[in-house]
Amino acid sequence: MNMDDSSTCPFCFLSLPSSQLQWHANTHFEDDEFRSPPSKKAVSDLHFDTAFGDSNNLCGGDGGGIGRDNGVWLMDEKISHLVDLQIKGEFHNVNGGLMNLLRNCLESEGGNSKSILSGYVDHFQSLKSEDVGWGCGWRNIQMLSSHLLAQKPEAKEVLFGCSGFVPDIPSLQRWLEIAWERGFDEPGSHHFNNSIYGSKRWIGATECAALLRSFGLRARMIDFGPKESESLYLSVPGSSVGEPELVRIDDGRKRKAPSFYGPMDRYLSSQSGGVSQASCGTNAKSCSSLNVNIDKESGGGCMVKSDAKQSKKHQVLMDFVWNYFSNKNSIHFGYRRVVFSEKTPLYFQHDGHSRTIVGIQVKHQRNGILHYNLLVLDPGHSTAAVERSLREKVGWQRFIKRGVHTLRKQQYQLCYVDPGIASEEEMKKLKTMDSVFIQL
């Protein structure tokens, strides 16, 4: 790099000789704004729209910028700035841990059952004053991140600039913008016009995966859907993602399906401009907004009316979740009824809402049939209410359990994180969003 070349300060955009740029940039950190505790205004004032770089060193850099590409240096400065100014996400802290309370409840149940849990998870609920109606995707990212920070040392070393905490939604939005600017999910970035900060636009599992992948985490995605929609998935040879096609709707007519930029985003709505989550965060109180009965067999949980054929199809998803948490049946229960898995929670997306799957239960019924219940944390529920029900062991099933009969959507998607940190070569591949398709 020629030290006599002119460069631009990433904070104020003043053009200076490169030899003076580092000294000038350091003066910004002498201002009151950077010495005082970070604020939402400080995060909003960050500039993320000028340079492009691809730095994997999110926990610091050489600081000098000498001998480095100017775009990479500017990206490192942006990351360092966000690390300093990001704000810790607020959540209701559960004494003793929410997952331990859930384990106690599962162990106290009668009947012949076995359950697998994913380990430590903090519950992040949507707040009326902040994100009810649109924020469930971000809340699930926070829940998954809380597990990674608590259970995965390698993830803690790279996530959010080694801050050791889960950032709030505005800070996460900034991190996603950085992921886009570094080339992760470029088509998705274009869909959002490269900007998400301060927006109430819905996001989905693709954005979760892109954000986590930008830190070097191996975020994987699974799509579940009918055979006729197979061509919409990038994982299928000869897929026609991005091309409109005729699809049948409920009344037998046909219409053109929207164009999708990636395998996970069949939920994009031209009216909302984001993932279709019209009920996101609105089902917190009960299942009264659905066509439901009380499922006595699963302990009072919500049962959506569904036929046997539909349930049989969606058993494929249940089987996947069981095999995922049991690590292909490598887990041994012994005399225990509840065990913890080393697997991460699952970001669970469908048209209308997203939740976090933290485990699964199987009950052996008298007729020999296995009855599965997904164990979920819903951002639409009050953490305090969930905690109270678990401590009192009263009514907790309706918050946590979801049987196969509750799966009424035609398509679902999951996102999880494999162990380890990606190499530099693998990071290049992770920039392209992909998924595995499983037919329902």
Side-chain angles (χ1 to χ4, degrees):
M1 178 174 168
N2 187 345
M3 296 300 292
D4 293 329
D5 291 342
S6 176
S7 298
T8 302
C9 174
F11 306 127
C12 66
F13 300 107
L14 180 66
S15 181
L16 292 168
S18 297
S19 59
Q20 300 179 21
L21 183 60
Q22 182 60 46
W23 172 85
H24 171 80
N26 287 339
T27 64
H28 285 283
F29 291 93
E30 299 175 3
D31 296 339
D32 289 340
E33 178 182 356
F34 300 106
R35 289 202 309 265
S36 60
S39 64
K40 291 187 178 182
K41 181 181 184 301
V43 175
S44 69
D45 287 341
L46 296 179
H47 304 296
F48 291 100
D49 56 354
T50 56
F52 178 85
D54 185 16
S55 171
N56 292 333
N57 185 11
L58 302 187
C59 292
D62 58 19
I66 299 177
R68 303 188 65 197
D69 179 81
N70 190 50
V72 174
W73 184 84
L74 289 173
M75 176 56 67
D76 284 349
E77 288 298 311
K78 293 178 182 181
I79 291 171
S80 177
H81 199 34
L82 177 55
V83 169
D84 290 338
L85 297 178
Q86 65 183 335
I87 299 172
K88 183 177 181 180
E90 296 181 0
F91 63 96
H92 175 81
N93 186 43
V94 176
N95 187 27
L98 198 64
M99 299 304 291
N100 285 328
L101 294 180
L102 176 56
R103 177 191 58 186
N104 294 339
C105 286
L106 291 167
E107 287 178 341
S108 67
E109 281 192 312
N112 186 10
S113 69
K114 295 179 188 262
S115 302
I116 309 175
L117 298 176
S118 62
Y120 185 92
V121 184
D122 286 318
H123 179 257
F124 285 78
Q125 72 177 75
S126 292
L127 302 175
K128 289 183 178 180
S129 60
E130 295 184 16
D131 64 294
V132 164
W134 61 271
C136 56
W138 297 107
R139 297 304 183 183
N140 289 308
I141 291 176
Q142 289 178 317
M143 284 192 261
L144 180 52
S145 297
S146 74
H147 171 88
L148 293 169
L149 290 173
Q151 301 280 146
K152 310 295 180 183
E154 71 276 15
K156 187 176 182 179
E157 292 178 1
V158 297
L159 272 175
F160 313 123
C162 309
S163 64
F165 61 76
V166 179
D168 66 356
I169 291 179
S171 300
L172 288 177
Q173 290 176 327
R174 284 304 197 192
W175 281 116
L176 181 57
E177 289 181 346
I178 281 183
W180 286 339
E181 192 171 345
R182 295 177 59 215
F184 290 87
D185 189 20
E186 185 175 345
S189 174
H190 293 331
H191 171 78
F192 287 96
N193 296 320
N194 310 314
S195 176
I196 194 71
Y197 176 81
S199 169
K200 294 182 179 181
R201 297 180 72 179
W202 298 312
I203 64 165
T206 304
E207 286 70 44
C208 174
L211 176 61
L212 296 178
R213 286 182 176 194
S214 71
F215 294 105
L217 300 182
R218 296 176 171 131
R220 312 298 188 193
M221 295 177 285
I222 308 292
D223 272 299
F224 297 86
K227 178 69 174 178
E228 54 266 28
S229 67
E230 188 175 15
S231 62
L232 294 176
Y233 300 90
L234 288 178
S235 57
V236 180
S239 63
S240 58
V241 174
E243 297 294 329
E245 77 173 71
L246 292 176
V247 295
R248 186 176 300 277
I249 53 180
D250 291 342
D251 60 4
R253 294 175 298 160
K254 291 187 176 181
R255 61 173 173 80
K256 281 190 175 182
S259 296
F260 303 106
Y261 71 77
M264 308 298 287
D265 295 287
R266 296 164 310 286
Y267 313 109
L268 292 176
S269 165
S270 59
Q271 294 181 345
S272 67
V275 179
S276 176
Q277 296 174 348
S279 61
C280 179
T282 60
N283 60 340
K285 294 183 179 180
S286 68
C287 299
S288 58
S289 61
L290 304 173
N291 185 19
V292 301
N293 289 330
I294 297 299
D295 177 18
K296 297 179 180 179
E297 191 165 350
S298 65
C302 299
M303 182 180 77
V304 181
K305 293 179 180 178
S306 177
D307 55 32
K309 185 177 181 180
Q310 181 84 348
S311 294
K312 186 176 181 180
K313 285 183 179 180
H314 288 79
Q315 185 60 42
V316 173
L317 191 153
M318 288 289 189
D319 291 338
F320 175 89
V321 174
W322 176 264
N323 290 330
Y324 168 78
F325 281 114
S326 65
N327 198 15
K328 298 181 180 179
N329 299 318
S330 65
I331 285 183
H332 301 287
F333 284 87
Y335 294 103
R336 295 171 296 174
R337 299 179 61 184
V338 183
V339 297
F340 284 101
S341 170
E342 295 183 355
K343 296 290 188 176
T344 68
L346 295 161
Y347 184 115
F348 183 42
Q349 177 76 54
H350 59 78
D351 181 16
H353 195 36
S354 62
R355 292 163 287 176
T356 298
I357 300 175
V358 297
I360 188 168
Q361 179 191 58
V362 61
K363 285 190 174 184
H364 297 265
Q365 298 178 309
R366 293 179 180 178
N367 57 9
I369 297 177
L370 299 179
H371 179 85
Y372 290 90
N373 286 308
L374 298 177
L375 306 175
V376 304
L377 293 179
D378 192 329
H381 291 151
S382 161
T383 309
V386 174
E387 178 188 10
R388 183 168 57 252
S389 68
L390 289 171
R391 288 196 187 280
E392 298 174 357
K393 296 182 180 179
V394 176
W396 61 272
Q397 294 92 341
R398 70 184 180 91
F399 287 111
I400 303 294
K401 289 189 180 184
R402 294 296 180 268
V404 68
H405 45 265
T406 68
L407 303 179
R408 292 178 55 86
K409 301 295 183 179
Q410 292 295 312
Q411 298 165 325
Y412 290 88
Q413 57 188 162
L414 299 175
C415 179
Y416 62 92
V417 180
D418 271 339
I421 302 298
S423 65
E424 184 176 351
E425 186 63 28
E426 188 179 354
M427 285 282 281
K428 296 178 182 178
K429 297 179 180 179
L430 289 176
K431 290 182 177 182
T432 301
M433 296 294 104
D434 57 357
S435 73
V436 174
F437 173 72
I438 298 178
Q439 180 183 340
L440 290 180

